[in-house]
Amino acid sequence: MHEAGGVFIVNDHADIALAVDADGVHLGQGDLLIRHARKLLGSGRIIGLSTHSLAQALEAEDQGADYIGFGPIYPTLTKDAGPAQGIARLSEIKKAVSVPVIAIGGIGPGNVRDVIRAGADGVAIISAILSADDPGRAATMMLEAVRRGREGAP
């Protein structure tokens, strides 16, 4: 995976991330605290945290998160993470923290450019790819839409 430029992040389980020599772990609000994950994984691995408010984002950064997952940006059926936050709130979060912000929730081909333009450093996409008839093509299209968003192209 590293040969292709990929990064391997394990969801929720720092112990598994350590066991499989992953690059890091992504934690949810109910998972291991960042300080405990950092003690287990050391300083060389990535730790991200899901957040759903400005207060949580600021706290995650203060606790040492390397990046923040923020959302849901739009309504989604994938997870029950509360009400949609919208791109205005995403922009507010991005301006308030210095770590990268990864947007998640209801992001698809029709809105990913707006999410990137609102300040997201990246996006986490589930349904728009997994529910597509051709997930590989859907992923490629999403990547191109992210690139256009970063370039400011329509």
Side-chain angles (χ1 to χ4, degrees), residues 1-2 6-26 37-38 40-47 66-67:
M1 175 172 28
H2 290 122
V7 176
F8 179 32
I9 303 290
V10 171
N11 192 39
D12 296 337
H13 299 282
D15 55 340
I16 294 173
L18 183 64
V20 300
D21 198 26
D23 296 305
V25 65
H26 182 84
R38 183 66 68 204
L40 180 65
L41 296 175
S43 62
R45 301 203 195 216
I46 301 165
I47 299 176
D66 295 302
Y67 72 90

Side-chain angles (χ1 to χ4, degrees), residues 26 34 38 46-51 56-58 60-62 64-71 90-104 115-116 118-124 150:
H26 182 84
I34 291 173
R38 183 66 68 204
I46 301 165
I47 299 176
L49 183 71
S50 292
T51 64
Q56 288 178 350
L58 291 169
E61 181 179 41
D62 188 53
D66 295 302
Y67 72 90
I68 293 165
F70 179 73
L90 169 64
S91 184
E92 175 187 9
I93 298 289
K94 180 59 183 167
K95 290 174 185 170
V97 299
S98 61
V99 297
V101 176
I102 308 301
I104 190 169
V115 171
I116 295 298
D121 295 288
V123 292
R150 287 186 177 145

Side-chain angles (χ1 to χ4, degrees), residues 107-117 123 125 137-154:
I107 300 168
N111 59 26
V112 68
R113 286 181 294 234
D114 293 336
V115 171
I116 295 298
R117 289 177 185 155
V123 292
I125 301 167
R137 184 172 184 274
T140 299
M141 290 175 58
M142 291 300 294
L143 181 58
E144 183 55 35
V146 167
R147 286 183 181 137
R148 285 194 309 269
R150 287 186 177 145
E151 295 167 357

